[in-house]
Amino acid sequence: EDQVTQSPEALRLQEGESSSLNCSYTVSGLRGLFWYRQDPGKGPEFLFTLYSAGEEKEKERLKATLTKKESFLHITAPKPEDSATYLCAVQASMDTGRRALTFGSGTRLQVQP
Amino acid sequence: EPEVTQTPSHQVTQMGQEVILRCVPISNHLYFYWYRQILGQKVEFLVSFYNNEISEKSEIFDDQFSVERPDGSNFTLKIRSTKLEDSAMYFCASSVGTNTGELFFGEGSRLTVL
């Protein structure tokens, strides 16, 4: 069974204080690992796809990295508008026949001005 | 920017009643999904739909659930006889392909079963 564990559950940062969120995963062959942002009362919003260990993706103040067992979402000099829950999800490899995403519980980030 | 729209935003129903949640996916997308999120818990996969048939479903998606694409734009989730434990936020999503994890989610329909 695919499993995704995210830590910490919640993180409070001061504006400009950089940090990292962790996503560790167990999957029957990884097709892709995905990061989403979820604002309160809204649906998840896609951020990044990572396919192989060593891959990195960047978008504004966010950078996602991937190893064979975990992924990190680095937040550099965050702003209050970065406050949200960040979700990690995995998709198993094509030979499993599964395409559904398995999500983690998320990290709730609060950035204070 | 194209978006997935869902109705209703909130529905309250009595246990045992039938509920239909509606979604309009992004127009050029071919794959459609329902996920749900019980308050304080993970987002969970229910079902995916392609070419007018279910392509994958989870253990949650039992005989009480059904999906349909009644016309060229709508995608619906029906719960035949709601239970208390069906109370959750239900998210519709769509994607261009099935091998992508880049899903476009709607804002959700909150279902409260009393």
Side-chain angles (χ1 to χ4, degrees):
Chain A
E1 183 181 335
D2 302 338
Q3 290 191 351
V4 178
T5 303
Q6 292 188 245
S7 61
E9 289 186 12
L11 181 63
R12 183 179 294 180
L13 300 174
Q14 291 296 123
E15 184 170 2
E17 181 187 359
S18 302
S19 188
S20 295
L21 313 182
N22 177 264
C23 169
S24 61
Y25 63 90
T26 304
V27 64
S28 304
L30 181 70
R31 161 122 182 101
L33 184 140
F34 312 94
W35 283 97
Y36 283 80
R37 169 190 171 127
Q38 186 176 27
D39 291 300
K42 301 287 182 74
E45 176 187 352
F46 172 78
L47 293 173
F48 301 112
T49 303
L50 300 165
Y51 290 112
S52 56
E55 190 175 0
E56 297 183 354
K57 293 278 180 70
E58 282 191 70
K59 180 180 180 180
E60 297 181 352
R61 295 175 291 282
L62 301 177
K63 183 169 80 171
T65 61
L66 181 65
T67 72
K68 288 188 177 179
K69 293 184 178 181
E70 57 191 350
S71 176
F72 293 93
L73 185 65
H74 307 278
I75 303 176
T76 302
K79 297 182 178 181
E81 52 262 41
D82 295 322
S83 298
T85 296
Y86 291 85
L87 303 175
C88 173
V90 296
Q91 186 180 48
S93 62
M94 290 176 66
D95 57 4
T96 65
R98 301 197 308 273
R99 299 288 177 270
L101 300 186
T102 299
F103 281 86
S105 298
T107 293
R108 192 171 63 255
L109 174 67
Q110 185 177 15
V111 182
Q112 296 184 315
Chain B
E1 184 174 325
E3 59 181 17
V4 175
T5 58
Q6 290 187 242
T7 54
S9 57
H10 188 194
Q11 181 154 358
V12 181
T13 190
Q14 294 292 325
M15 191 169 53
Q17 294 297 303
E18 176 182 284
V19 163
I20 297 177
L21 306 179
R22 292 180 168 81
C23 168
V24 179
I26 293 173
S27 61
N28 65 332
H29 287 186
L30 300 177
Y31 297 85
F32 315 118
Y33 313 84
W34 285 100
Y35 283 76
R36 80 173 185 188
Q37 187 173 30
I38 295 171
L39 187 64
Q41 297 188 22
K42 298 181 180 183
V43 175
E44 302 175 289
F45 170 73
L46 293 178
V47 66
S48 60
F49 191 85
Y50 169 69
N51 200 25
N52 283 320
E53 61 182 24
I54 291 173
S55 52
E56 188 178 355
K57 62 182 181 179
S58 71
E59 291 179 353
I60 302 169
F61 194 87
D62 61 21
D63 292 345
Q64 292 300 311
F65 292 88
S66 63
V67 288
E68 190 178 36
R69 188 158 164 81
D71 54 43
S73 60
N74 289 287
F75 179 50
T76 63
L77 174 69
K78 182 192 290 187
I79 309 174
R80 288 190 183 81
S81 178
T82 50
K83 307 185 186 90
L84 295 176
E85 54 264 37
D86 294 328
S87 295
M89 181 74 93
Y90 287 81
F91 292 109
C92 175
S94 66
S95 66
V96 172
T98 188
N99 291 326
T100 176
E102 183 178 351
L103 305 187
F104 291 77
F105 284 84
E107 295 208 338
S109 292
R110 179 168 297 285
L111 176 64
T112 302
V113 182
L114 302 177

